[in-house]
Amino acid sequence: MLTAVLISIRTGLPTMIDPVLLWAVLIGVSVLLVLILYFKIQAFLSLLISSISVGLVAGMPVREILLSIQQGMASTLGFIAIVVGLGAMLGAILENSGGVQALATFVLRRAGEKNASWALMITGFLVSIPVFFDVGVVLLIPIVYALQKNTGKSLLYYGMPLLAGLAVTHAFIPPTPGPVAVADILGADLGWVILFGFLAGIPAAVISGPVFGKFIAKRIMVTAPESYMDPPSDRKLPSVQMVAALLGLPLILILLNTFSQTLVNKSAFSPVVLEVLAFVGHPFTALIIANLLAWYLLGIRRGYTKQELLDVSTQSLGPAGVIILITGAGGVFKEILTQTGAGLMLANYLMEVGFAPIIFGYIASALIRLLQGSSTVAMITSAGMTAAVLEGIDYTDFQKAALVIAIAAGASIYSHVNDSGFWLVSKYFGMEETQTLRSWSVMTTLLSVVGFGVSLILWVIL
C-alpha cells in the first residue's frame, strides 16, 4: 500500500488511486474499444477478452480470473436470460398478429391528423415495450409515409416523434433488454425502474419528439419515397383493447408487487395477499402469464396454428440470445472489476472528491456510446463499472432505479455514423448523412440530456 501511495504522489495521482488498478481499468476499456471498432470482433467476445485484460494487468492469478468469468456470467444470466427471452416471445406474437398495427391505427384515429405527431410519439412509446427498436421502425414507417403524402409536411414532422417514442421506451422502460440488464447488474428493483422510466421518458419523448420534430421539419424537407404505395388494408387486426391489456398486464403486475413490498404498514393486507402479489408480480411470472394469454388470445383464437406460433416464438429467441450473451459478458466485466478491487478504488475516490455515482454512470455510458456506437454495449459496460463502484455502499432502491435511467440516458446520446440505428433512420427517411446528424443525432442527444436531468432530480430528492 505504501508503494502505491508513493507512486501516486510521484505521478500526481490522488493517494486513493492505485495506479496499477487504474491502468487495468483503462487498458481493459481500451482493449474493448479496439476490438469492437478496429477488428470488428463481436461485443460478447470483446467483453470477455477485455475482462481478462483487466484481471491480468491488475495481477490476478489466472485461475481466479477464469473463476470470476464463470461466476460473473452465472450470476447475471440467471435473471436476464429469462426476462429477455420471455419479453422477446411476447413481442414477436404481438408483432406477427398485427397487434402493433392495431395499436397505431387506434391512436392515430383518436388523435386525428392535427395531433398526429403526438399520436405517433405515444404509439412509438407503447410499441417499443414489446418489440425491438428497429422492428418498430420498419413496422410503423408506412404510417409516417402516408401522413407525409397527405399533408405535404416534412417527413421529420411525423418521424421524429415516432422515433423519440420508440427510442425512449427502448432505453428506459423494462422489459426491453437494456434497462433490464442494467437493473440486474446494479441490483435495482424492476418495478421502480419501470416507474422512473416513465417519469423520465415522458418529458424526454415530448421534447425530443413533437417539440424538436416541429422545429427541425421547418429546416429539413424530406418526402416519402416515390415508390411507396399504401399497404392493403384487408388484414383483420386484433382488438386494440386486448393488445393494450396484454402490453400493460406484466407492467402492472410488477408495479403492484413493488408497491406491496414497500408498504410501511403491511398489516392492512393478509399475508396470503402479499404472497400472491409477490408471486404474480415477479417479472418471471408476470411475463409468463402475458405470453400464455397472447398465445391464446392473439394466436389460437384468431386462427393461427400451434406450429405457426411455435415458429414465431422460436425465431424471436435468435436476436434475444445475442443480447443475453452480451449482458452476461457485462456481468463478467463487473465481477472482474469487483474482484481486483478496482471498483472499490474508484468508489473511494469518487466519495473523496464528492463525485456522485449517478454522474459517473452517465458520463461513462455516454463516452462508451460515442466511441463504439452500440447503446447496448455502452449500457452493459458502464453498468458493470458502476456496479463495481457501488460495491459495499448502501444505496436505496430509489437511487439505484434513478442510476439505471441515468446510464440508459448516457447510452442514448448522439447516435452517429458508428451506430446501426443511424443508418437505419438514414435509409428509411431517405436522408443524407449531414441531414441525419442534424435531425436524428440531435434528437437522441436531447433525449439523453432530458432523461439524465430527470434521473438526477429523482436521485437528489429520493
Side-chain angles (χ1 to χ4, degrees), residues 295 299-300 303-315:
W295 180 83
I300 298 298
Y304 286 83
T305 66
K306 296 171 186 177
Q307 185 60 48
E308 286 175 328
L309 291 169
L310 175 62
D311 292 341
V312 167
S313 300
T314 303
Q315 290 168 8

Tab-separated table of all heavy atoms in Angstrom, residues 295 299-300 303-315:
chain	number	residue	atom	x	y	z
A	295	TRP	N	-50.528	-16.003	-26.511
A	295	TRP	CA	-50.513	-17.234	-27.320
A	295	TRP	C	-51.938	-17.664	-27.659
A	295	TRP	O	-52.228	-18.053	-28.790
A	295	TRP	CB	-49.790	-18.328	-26.535
A	295	TRP	CG	-49.695	-19.659	-27.223
A	295	TRP	CD1	-48.765	-20.047	-28.149
A	295	TRP	CD2	-50.560	-20.789	-27.025
A	295	TRP	NE1	-48.985	-21.348	-28.546
A	295	TRP	CE2	-50.092	-21.830	-27.870
A	295	TRP	CE3	-51.677	-21.030	-26.220
A	295	TRP	CZ2	-50.699	-23.068	-27.925
A	295	TRP	CZ3	-52.282	-22.271	-26.281
A	295	TRP	CH2	-51.793	-23.280	-27.125
A	299	GLY	N	-53.276	-15.663	-30.858
A	299	GLY	CA	-52.853	-16.756	-31.720
A	299	GLY	C	-53.952	-17.759	-32.004
A	299	GLY	O	-54.634	-17.683	-33.027
A	300	ILE	N	-54.145	-18.683	-31.095
A	300	ILE	CA	-55.094	-19.786	-31.301
A	300	ILE	C	-56.496	-19.280	-31.620
A	300	ILE	O	-57.147	-19.741	-32.568
A	300	ILE	CB	-55.135	-20.699	-30.049
A	300	ILE	CG1	-53.765	-21.331	-29.798
A	300	ILE	CG2	-56.215	-21.772	-30.212
A	300	ILE	CD1	-53.271	-22.216	-30.899
A	303	GLY	N	-57.036	-18.018	-35.197
A	303	GLY	CA	-56.825	-18.914	-36.331
A	303	GLY	C	-55.395	-19.328	-36.604
A	303	GLY	O	-55.145	-20.057	-37.569
A	304	TYR	N	-54.442	-18.889	-35.797
A	304	TYR	CA	-53.062	-19.323	-36.003
A	304	TYR	C	-52.910	-20.764	-35.523
A	304	TYR	O	-53.489	-21.165	-34.514
A	304	TYR	CB	-52.089	-18.429	-35.228
A	304	TYR	CG	-51.897	-17.058	-35.829
A	304	TYR	CD1	-52.799	-16.033	-35.570
A	304	TYR	CD2	-50.813	-16.777	-36.653
A	304	TYR	CE1	-52.637	-14.765	-36.116
A	304	TYR	CE2	-50.632	-15.513	-37.200
A	304	TYR	CZ	-51.544	-14.517	-36.930
A	304	TYR	OH	-51.385	-13.270	-37.471
A	305	THR	N	-52.114	-21.539	-36.242
A	305	THR	CA	-51.871	-22.918	-35.816
A	305	THR	C	-50.809	-22.935	-34.716
A	305	THR	O	-50.029	-21.974	-34.565
A	305	THR	CB	-51.378	-23.780	-36.987
A	305	THR	OG1	-50.086	-23.321	-37.403
A	305	THR	CG2	-52.352	-23.713	-38.152
A	306	LYS	N	-50.765	-24.014	-33.988
A	306	LYS	CA	-49.761	-24.155	-32.927
A	306	LYS	C	-48.346	-24.142	-33.503
A	306	LYS	O	-47.420	-23.609	-32.893
A	306	LYS	CB	-50.011	-25.437	-32.137
A	306	LYS	CG	-51.333	-25.439	-31.388
A	306	LYS	CD	-51.631	-26.809	-30.793
A	306	LYS	CE	-53.026	-26.828	-30.168
A	306	LYS	NZ	-53.380	-28.168	-29.654
A	307	GLN	N	-48.196	-24.718	-34.685
A	307	GLN	CA	-46.878	-24.753	-35.313
A	307	GLN	C	-46.429	-23.350	-35.712
A	307	GLN	O	-45.248	-22.995	-35.553
A	307	GLN	CB	-46.914	-25.661	-36.552
A	307	GLN	CG	-45.548	-25.868	-37.206
A	307	GLN	CD	-44.549	-26.508	-36.269
A	307	GLN	OE1	-44.856	-27.513	-35.606
A	307	GLN	NE2	-43.347	-25.939	-36.189
A	308	GLU	N	-47.359	-22.539	-36.235
A	308	GLU	CA	-47.026	-21.157	-36.601
A	308	GLU	C	-46.580	-20.370	-35.372
A	308	GLU	O	-45.593	-19.618	-35.428
A	308	GLU	CB	-48.241	-20.483	-37.249
A	308	GLU	CG	-48.532	-20.934	-38.658
A	308	GLU	CD	-49.818	-20.337	-39.205
A	308	GLU	OE1	-50.761	-20.092	-38.404
A	308	GLU	OE2	-49.890	-20.103	-40.428
A	309	LEU	N	-47.284	-20.538	-34.267
A	309	LEU	CA	-46.929	-19.832	-33.037
A	309	LEU	C	-45.580	-20.311	-32.501
A	309	LEU	O	-44.782	-19.516	-31.993
A	309	LEU	CB	-48.013	-20.027	-31.984
A	309	LEU	CG	-49.342	-19.332	-32.281
A	309	LEU	CD1	-50.420	-19.799	-31.313
A	309	LEU	CD2	-49.186	-17.823	-32.197
A	310	LEU	N	-45.322	-21.601	-32.633
A	310	LEU	CA	-44.033	-22.150	-32.211
A	310	LEU	C	-42.903	-21.554	-33.043
A	310	LEU	O	-41.853	-21.175	-32.510
A	310	LEU	CB	-44.041	-23.675	-32.340
A	310	LEU	CG	-42.717	-24.383	-32.035
A	310	LEU	CD1	-42.292	-24.139	-30.594
A	310	LEU	CD2	-42.839	-25.881	-32.306
A	311	ASP	N	-43.110	-21.459	-34.358
A	311	ASP	CA	-42.085	-20.900	-35.240
A	311	ASP	C	-41.802	-19.428	-34.909
A	311	ASP	O	-40.646	-19.007	-34.870
A	311	ASP	CB	-42.522	-21.016	-36.702
A	311	ASP	CG	-42.561	-22.469	-37.182
A	311	ASP	OD1	-41.920	-23.323	-36.534
A	311	ASP	OD2	-43.238	-22.740	-38.188
A	312	VAL	N	-42.871	-18.657	-34.676
A	312	VAL	CA	-42.720	-17.241	-34.337
A	312	VAL	C	-41.924	-17.085	-33.035
A	312	VAL	O	-41.003	-16.275	-32.944
A	312	VAL	CB	-44.103	-16.561	-34.198
A	312	VAL	CG1	-43.970	-15.189	-33.535
A	312	VAL	CG2	-44.753	-16.419	-35.563
A	313	SER	N	-42.292	-17.874	-32.026
A	313	SER	CA	-41.617	-17.792	-30.726
A	313	SER	C	-40.154	-18.198	-30.837
A	313	SER	O	-39.271	-17.558	-30.245
A	313	SER	CB	-42.331	-18.687	-29.706
A	313	SER	OG	-43.670	-18.295	-29.538
A	314	THR	N	-39.883	-19.250	-31.597
A	314	THR	CA	-38.512	-19.745	-31.743
A	314	THR	C	-37.636	-18.721	-32.454
A	314	THR	O	-36.498	-18.460	-32.045
A	314	THR	CB	-38.498	-21.074	-32.510
A	314	THR	OG1	-39.329	-22.023	-31.828
A	314	THR	CG2	-37.088	-21.629	-32.620
A	315	GLN	N	-38.163	-18.129	-33.534
A	315	GLN	CA	-37.393	-17.130	-34.282
A	315	GLN	C	-37.065	-15.907	-33.429
A	315	GLN	O	-36.016	-15.289	-33.595
A	315	GLN	CB	-38.164	-16.713	-35.527
A	315	GLN	CG	-38.249	-17.798	-36.593
A	315	GLN	CD	-39.263	-17.470	-37.684
A	315	GLN	OE1	-39.807	-16.371	-37.745
A	315	GLN	NE2	-39.542	-18.451	-38.538
